[in-house]
């Protein structure tokens, strides 16, 4: 996929040789230095208000430096006379240094204005496969412990605890006839939440993380002191909250995509009512529940006041929306799905792209057998703590995907389907050019950032298996964009 380039073709760099040449021709070094520094300053866009304030400080500093009495008072009291006689600064030299330092500050601040928000997130190395499972109907949605040492996934309806290298540490089996889904780790690391489905009825449950991580819990079966009909939910402060929902109503509700707010005081989740669009709800620590918007796959902003959710768009693709949790106002961002918003302000999401590869060539060098398929690639974009940096760009007419960066590209290796197809062509004696059109095979799902956004964990489906992968990420300056 071709990336758009945003290169600055203007040459705003002023060579120092011009100043040195003028310095040799004239004796007034201060004048030439001021002229050169002014040209450097004008070549860089700066904050005008900051420029005025620094110019005022520059004039005040010049007056202080040109006043001999103030220069003497600024010297140390110990051996003042001796040091003053040996290292006395010429007023002209002092003025030059003062001007250079202050203007250099202006230059640095001005440079900061143009380099701000000019970094992007980039994969540091190739993704590392931690483990692989057989595919299931339920997407693989990993949850990472706050310290990054453990990973929780659902397999076969049970909770499976892995190390950050993919080694299985423990498992928690559900009661007979029940299944677990959508695990979420609380930000303080003391609690794990999940959806418990039993006899067509579902509810959100919690368990102490210590019970899950203890070695005695290997292959342990989940149990409760009372029957599920009590329908209680343990809040973050340990209190029990009664849920007064009827049994028939509960059977039509399905929960998924649990995710805690950064402060741990709110839990966002998805409610799917039979025959109706999915809804994003938020439940606070005091038990208050509130519908936010129709959508799916919520992810919290770093400040805990916004959500990014995916909603069905046109042409059977998803769009990402920025939603204010308090006011419920929503702004369209652009196409994407499975978003995850990291603490550093970067959003990772998936988009679909059409990839065409040549498998074999004819003797004359022309393509013989090709494969075309719809694949998912992972991209990243900077939203800041509340999404406002991106909203400003969108309002200015800048494109959503044009501001994003490729984070993880789809794999290009030949799959078993393609190999079997090539064998079939050879057995049939068919050598004319053909194109094999495949459905999407490599699909990213369940991505989540590790501690301090230093790495990203995600799952990728590959035929009958799904791989859990880990990729290190880092910030790169915009000029390094490919």
């Amino acid at each position: 996929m071709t990336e758009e380039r945003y290169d600055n073709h203007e040459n705003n760099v002023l060579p120092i040789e011009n100043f040195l040449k003028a310095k040799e021709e004239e004796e007034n070094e201060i004048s030439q230095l001021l002229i050169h520094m002014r040209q450097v300053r004008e070549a860089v866009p700066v904050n005008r208000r900051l420029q005025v304030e620094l110019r005022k400080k520059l004039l005040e500093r010049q007056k202080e430096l040109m006043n001999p009495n103030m220069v003497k008072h600024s010297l140390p009291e110990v051996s003042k006379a001796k040091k003053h006689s040996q290292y006395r600064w010429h007023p002209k030299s002092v003025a030059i240094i003062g001007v250079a330092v202050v203007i250099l500050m202006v230059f640095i601040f001005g440079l900061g204005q143009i380099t701000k928000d000019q970094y992007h997130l980039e994969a540091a190395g190739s993704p590392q496969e931690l483990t692989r499972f057989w595919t299931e109907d339920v997407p693989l949605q990993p949850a990472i412990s706050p310290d990054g040492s453990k990973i929780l996934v659902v397999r076969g309806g049970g909770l499976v605890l892995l190390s950050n290298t993919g080694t299985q540490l423990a498992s928690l089996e559900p009661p007979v006839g029940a299944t677990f889904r959508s695990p979420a780790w609380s930000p303080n690391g003391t609690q794990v939440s999940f959806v418990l489905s039993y006899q067509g009825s579902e509810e959100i449950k919690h368990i102490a993380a210590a019970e899950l991580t203890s070695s005695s819990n290997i292959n342990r079966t989940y149990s409760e002191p009372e029957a599920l009909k009590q329908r209680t939910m343990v809040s973050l402060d340990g209190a029990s909250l009664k849920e007064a929902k009827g049994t028939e109503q509960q059977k039509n509700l399905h929960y998924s995509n649990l995710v805690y707010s950064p402060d741990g005081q709110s839990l966002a989740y998805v409610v799917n009512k039979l025959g109706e669009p999915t809804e994003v709800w938020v439940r606070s620590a005091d038990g208050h529940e509130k519908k936010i918007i129709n959508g799916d796959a919520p992810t919290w902003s770093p400040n805990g006041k916004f959500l990014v959710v995916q909603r069905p768009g046109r042409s059977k693709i998803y769009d990402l929306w920025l939603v204010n949790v308090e006011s419920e106002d929503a702004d369209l961002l652009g196409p994407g799905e499975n978003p995850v918003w990291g603490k550093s302000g970067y959003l990772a999401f998936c988009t679909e792209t059409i990839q065409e590869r040549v498998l074999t060539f004819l003797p004359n060098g022309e393509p013989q057998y090709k494969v075309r398929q719809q694949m998912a690639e992972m991209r990243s974009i900077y939203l800041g703590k509340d999404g406002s940096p991106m909203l400003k760009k969108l309002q200015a007419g800048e494109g959503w995907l044009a501001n994003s960066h490729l984070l993880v590209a789809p794999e290009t290796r030949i799959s078993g389907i393609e190999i079997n197809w090539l064998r079939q062509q050879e057995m049939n004696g068919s050598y004319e050019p053909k194109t094999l059109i495949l459905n999407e095979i490599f699909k990213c799902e369940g991505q989540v950032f590790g501690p301090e956004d230093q790495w990203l964990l995600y799952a990728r489906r590959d035929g009958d298996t799904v791989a859990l992968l880990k990729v290190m990420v880092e910030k790169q300056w915009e000029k390094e964009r490919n």
Side-chain angles (χ1 to χ4, degrees):
M1 181 177 179
T2 304
E3 294 281 349
E4 294 183 356
R5 293 180 177 269
Y6 295 91
D7 298 326
N8 181 11
H9 299 289
E10 296 182 4
N11 183 14
N12 289 334
V13 179
L14 298 177
I16 191 64
E17 287 77 7
N18 295 345
F19 163 69
L20 296 177
K21 181 178 180 181
K23 176 183 173 182
E24 295 177 356
E25 296 177 355
E26 297 187 24
E27 296 181 357
N28 192 344
E29 298 181 9
I30 297 180
S31 175
Q32 291 301 319
L33 178 60
L34 288 174
I35 293 174
H36 178 73
M37 286 298 185
R38 184 169 60 252
Q39 292 174 342
V40 172
R41 182 180 58 189
E42 293 175 352
V44 180
V46 299
N47 187 310
R48 294 304 174 188
R49 180 178 179 181
L50 179 64
Q51 188 181 47
V52 172
E53 293 177 358
L54 289 177
R55 184 183 293 114
K56 182 179 179 181
K57 291 183 179 181
L58 168 63
L59 295 176
E60 294 176 355
R61 183 58 179 163
Q62 281 183 309
K63 292 179 181 179
E64 294 177 0
L65 294 174
M66 296 301 292
N67 190 334
N69 294 328
M70 296 189 69
V71 173
K72 289 182 180 180
H73 288 305
S74 65
L75 294 174
E77 293 295 331
V78 182
S79 304
K80 181 192 296 184
K82 182 178 179 180
K83 291 185 178 182
H84 185 64
S85 60
Q86 291 180 350
Y87 305 104
R88 184 175 182 180
W89 290 88
H90 192 279
K92 182 185 297 185
S93 301
V94 173
I96 294 176
I97 295 175
V99 171
V101 170
V102 177
I103 297 181
L104 182 60
M105 291 175 60
V106 177
F107 178 82
I108 293 175
F109 281 120
L111 185 61
Q113 295 295 320
I114 64 173
T115 59
K116 182 180 179 182
D117 191 22
Q118 294 215 349
Y119 287 83
H120 68 274
L121 208 61
E122 187 173 280
S126 301
Q128 173 191 1
E129 182 175 318
L130 301 183
T131 187
R132 186 176 288 266
F133 304 96
W134 292 107
T135 55
E136 297 180 357
D137 294 335
V138 179
L140 187 65
Q141 296 176 326
I144 303 176
S145 62
D147 62 1
S149 63
K150 298 176 181 64
I151 302 169
L152 195 60
V153 297
V154 173
R155 289 289 90 185
L159 296 177
V160 178
L161 187 68
L162 308 172
S163 70
N164 56 9
T165 59
T167 303
Q168 182 170 332
L169 302 176
S171 63
L172 183 64
E173 298 298 327
V176 177
T179 57
F180 296 142
R181 281 203 325 273
S182 301
W185 219 300
S186 65
N188 59 13
T190 62
Q191 182 171 273
V192 171
S193 301
F194 53 90
V195 176
L196 175 62
S197 178
Y198 181 70
Q199 295 182 350
S201 181
E202 295 186 355
E203 61 180 324
I204 298 174
K205 288 289 184 179
H206 303 275
I207 188 174
E211 294 185 33
L212 190 63
T213 57
S214 174
S215 59
S216 62
N217 289 329
I218 296 180
N219 297 324
R220 176 175 171 269
T221 300
Y222 175 82
S223 61
E224 287 186 312
E226 298 184 32
L228 294 177
K229 294 182 180 180
Q230 183 182 2
R231 313 213 57 76
T232 61
M233 170 184 167
V234 180
S235 67
L236 303 181
D237 58 3
S240 295
L241 305 172
K242 297 291 184 180
E243 293 181 327
K245 298 179 180 178
T247 304
E248 293 302 322
Q249 181 183 4
Q250 279 295 127
K251 289 185 177 181
N252 293 328
L253 296 179
H254 299 279
Y255 301 99
S256 62
N257 296 91
L258 276 58
V259 57
Y260 277 97
S261 60
D263 60 4
Q265 296 302 304
S266 298
L267 182 69
Y269 55 93
V270 174
V271 177
N272 185 10
K273 300 177 182 178
L274 188 62
E276 298 182 16
T278 56
E279 302 171 349
V280 175
W281 285 65
V282 169
R283 176 181 287 171
S284 58
D286 60 4
H288 176 70
E289 294 178 304
K290 175 184 178 182
K291 176 188 172 181
I292 304 300
I293 193 175
N294 288 347
D296 196 359
T299 180
W300 287 94
S301 64
N303 65 5
K305 297 181 180 180
F306 294 83
L307 289 170
V308 166
V309 302
Q310 68 180 34
R311 305 179 67 183
R314 296 176 297 180
S315 303
K316 298 182 180 180
I317 63 173
Y318 283 102
D319 288 327
L320 298 180
W321 291 74
L322 178 69
V323 188
N324 187 310
V325 175
E326 182 176 355
S327 66
E328 302 177 21
D329 294 334
D331 293 288
L332 175 63
L333 297 176
E337 58 181 305
N338 297 324
V340 56
W341 201 340
K343 295 180 180 179
S344 59
Y346 288 90
L347 183 83
F349 62 97
C350 288
T351 57
E352 295 181 356
T353 181
I354 301 298
Q355 186 183 80
E356 186 172 279
R357 305 190 311 275
V358 178
L359 301 179
T360 60
F361 293 88
L362 293 170
N364 60 3
E366 295 182 359
Q368 182 183 23
Y369 299 137
K370 298 188 295 184
V371 59
R372 183 187 303 132
Q373 62 183 138
Q374 190 176 20
M375 306 184 72
E377 61 183 17
M378 194 179 303
R379 307 189 71 83
S380 66
I381 201 165
Y382 184 73
L383 294 186
K385 296 185 179 298
D386 56 5
S388 57
M390 192 64 239
L391 289 180
K392 292 179 181 178
K393 291 184 178 181
L394 293 176
Q395 292 171 0
E398 298 186 31
W400 165 253
L401 292 180
N403 279 280
S404 67
H405 295 258
L406 182 63
L407 187 60
V408 179
E411 290 188 357
T412 57
R413 60 183 177 86
I414 299 179
S415 65
I417 297 177
E418 298 165 53
I419 293 176
N420 291 334
W421 181 70
L422 290 175
R423 290 174 178 171
Q424 182 180 1
Q425 302 307 311
E426 183 179 0
M427 293 176 60
N428 295 338
S430 175
Y431 300 104
E432 67 273 11
K434 290 183 179 180
T435 299
L436 173 64
I437 300 178
L438 298 175
N439 295 327
E440 184 178 347
I441 296 179
F442 303 113
K443 182 177 178 62
C444 298
E445 58 186 33
Q447 52 262 28
V448 57
F449 280 108
E452 305 303 324
D453 298 351
Q454 295 180 351
W455 47 279
L456 184 71
L457 190 71
Y458 66 99
R460 182 163 56 198
R461 297 202 174 202
D462 181 7
D464 294 331
T465 62
V466 56
L468 188 63
L469 298 107
K470 174 182 178 181
V471 61
M472 305 302 294
V473 295
E474 60 184 10
K475 290 195 297 184
Q476 293 290 340
W477 193 37
E478 187 76 12
K479 276 192 173 181
E480 298 181 15
R481 179 178 181 178
N482 295 322

